[in-house]
Amino acid sequence: MFGLPLTTTLLVFGFPLAWVIYTAVFFYRSRSWPRDETDAD
Amino acid sequence: MEPTVLVFLVLYYVVVVAIGVWAARKGASNSLEGFLLGGRKVGPLVTALTLQATAMSGFMFLGAGSEGYRMGYWALWYAAGDIGGGVVNLSVIGRRMRRLSKILGSLSSIEYLEHRYPSPATRLVAGTLTIFFLFFYVLAQFIAGGKGMALVTGMPYWLALLIAVGIIMLYTFLGGYFAVAYTDLFQSLVMLVGILWIFGACLVHLGGFSAANEAIQRIDPTYLSVWGKGLVKQDHWGEISGAVLIFSIGYMGWPHVVTRQMAMTHPATARTAAVYSTLWNLCFVSAPYLVGIFAIVILPDLDDAELSILRVADTLLPPAITGLVVAAIMAAIMSTADSILLQTGTIASRDLYQRFLEPNATDRQMVWVSRLLVIAIAVVGYLVALFRPPGVFSVVIFTTSVLGSAFLPCYVCAVWWKRANTPGAIASMLGGALTAFVWQVAGVDVATALHPMLVGVLASSALMVVVSLLTQRVAPLPERVLAAVEAARSIH
């Protein structure tokens, strides 16, 4: 794809995609954080 | 020198200083918490972008472009980890570190370590290591600034360096953390616009991404490989994993970066900040490496690879836009250098001077001591930068490898492992720093094809676990620290 070998394509596009998924999962799993705030915070 | 380039540069400096002055008024710099942490009132957008702008130094415009130009797509291994650096940092230690630092009353990332791992030795070791290695990091920024400005403006190197250092000192001096954070916000946007503009210009010039890669293939197909030019890195997984780790988990060991967690408005600020961080990284991080790779086709006979992005900008863009790119480069350099100067000033004044020499110093005195030390560090850095030590890429990789190796287990275990104790932390800091340092200086990394960051983090992590477990009985954590850690961990 884009004139690149498959491994290079995975490096260029695969890692960013993995970080997007990581961020989305983190954002979903931390949805209760604002409710957990205490006065001390 | 093109007048339009000068206009953009002057405009950029004026805006940066204006933001610094505004932030100085807003940030209540007469209180130490206001000066050092912005009164812990920094929201998610500013947290994310100051974190990213601080982490992305002049390295991105000089070092990253240079590595892309020399090695081709292999350089993208660094970007692969870097894109996730912010979200890893904020999701793993962000919320808990903010809460624990508030409970313990810590105002600097080194003071936080002493509060968590109680002993004067903790602060002495951490402070000394940090100042020593951050000095080299800021030195790399000065060199990058001087080289970049000298090339584009035609000024002598000493004068370009003097202007860059002077501006950095001015706004760090004015407003402390608030000035640094808000100028970082502005600078991160300038960096983004600058690099995307030149990236787009490259694609237009080369006829698109596929055409660019085909042109590179005609020069040398190994540039397109993940193993580097000439396949010299083939199967060097120890080096590749280090390249990915250094800017992904590595952030968590950089004292000048983790301070951002401590300054957040709320612990939960980390959640939204992580999203902003990833979005910004997706747009920014790979572009400097790719521009360096495209320069292989655009400027095949460059004598200094570190100037590849600047030379491409000079070749492809009209003077006004070149001015914007130069401003972006200065933004990357200055947004890191100001944070380091503030951090080293803080460590030297509060963590070493007040802690060991003048315990009764008032908040106001400490602010001024910190400011004077910022000047001293900048002046010494300027003088050393005139001698032009090694390239920006090697200095930054060396410094960040040692810092990450020294501090990563300490910051992570501080909030995730109650049994991490003082002897474990000190052994981890010293062992990790020494391993990464010797590994690189003695050339063991070349002989073994194992990245110093990888070996250093493995050593410091092993030392933290083994020494902490062996010394649980002789060096237990005080009850108040255990209670604070428990309170920080009790959030789910």
Side-chain angles (χ1 to χ4, degrees), chain B residues 206-224:
Chain B
L206 295 169
F209 192 40
S210 298
N213 290 325
E214 284 158 15
I216 293 166
Q217 186 171 27
R218 285 193 289 277
I219 294 172
D220 182 346
T222 61
Y223 275 126
L224 300 182

Side-chain angles (χ1 to χ4, degrees), chain B residues 208-255:
Chain B
F209 192 40
S210 298
N213 290 325
E214 284 158 15
I216 293 166
Q217 186 171 27
R218 285 193 289 277
I219 294 172
D220 182 346
T222 61
Y223 275 126
L224 300 182
S225 158
V226 295
W227 309 119
K229 187 188 179 194
L231 307 179
V232 292
K233 305 283 188 186
Q234 187 152 25
D235 298 327
H236 286 196
W237 289 107
E239 201 168 341
I240 288 169
S241 53
V244 174
L245 292 176
I246 190 170
F247 296 137
S248 53
I249 64 169
Y251 281 24
M252 293 188 288
W254 300 356

Side-chain angles (χ1 to χ4, degrees), chain A residues 2-5 7-8 11-13 15-16 19-20 22-23 26-28 30-34 36-38 40-41, chain B residues 73 76-77 80 83-84 87-88 91 95 98-99 102 209-210 213 224-226 266-268 271 274-275 278 282 492:
Chain A
F2 299 111
L4 293 170
T7 47
T8 309
L11 173 63
V12 176
F13 299 103
F15 272 90
W19 288 122
V20 169
Y22 179 98
T23 306
F26 164 67
F27 193 70
Y28 177 75
S30 61
R31 62 193 182 282
S32 66
W33 282 14
D36 293 342
E37 299 280 305
T38 66
D41 295 325
Chain B
Y73 276 89
L76 266 291
W77 286 113
I83 293 168
V87 67
V88 167
S91 63
R95 185 169 71 141
R98 164 62 176 77
R99 180 173 273 192
K102 180 86 184 290
F209 192 40
S210 298
N213 290 325
L224 300 182
S225 158
V226 295
H266 302 289
R271 179 174 181 255
V275 176
T278 298
L282 283 171
H492 303 292

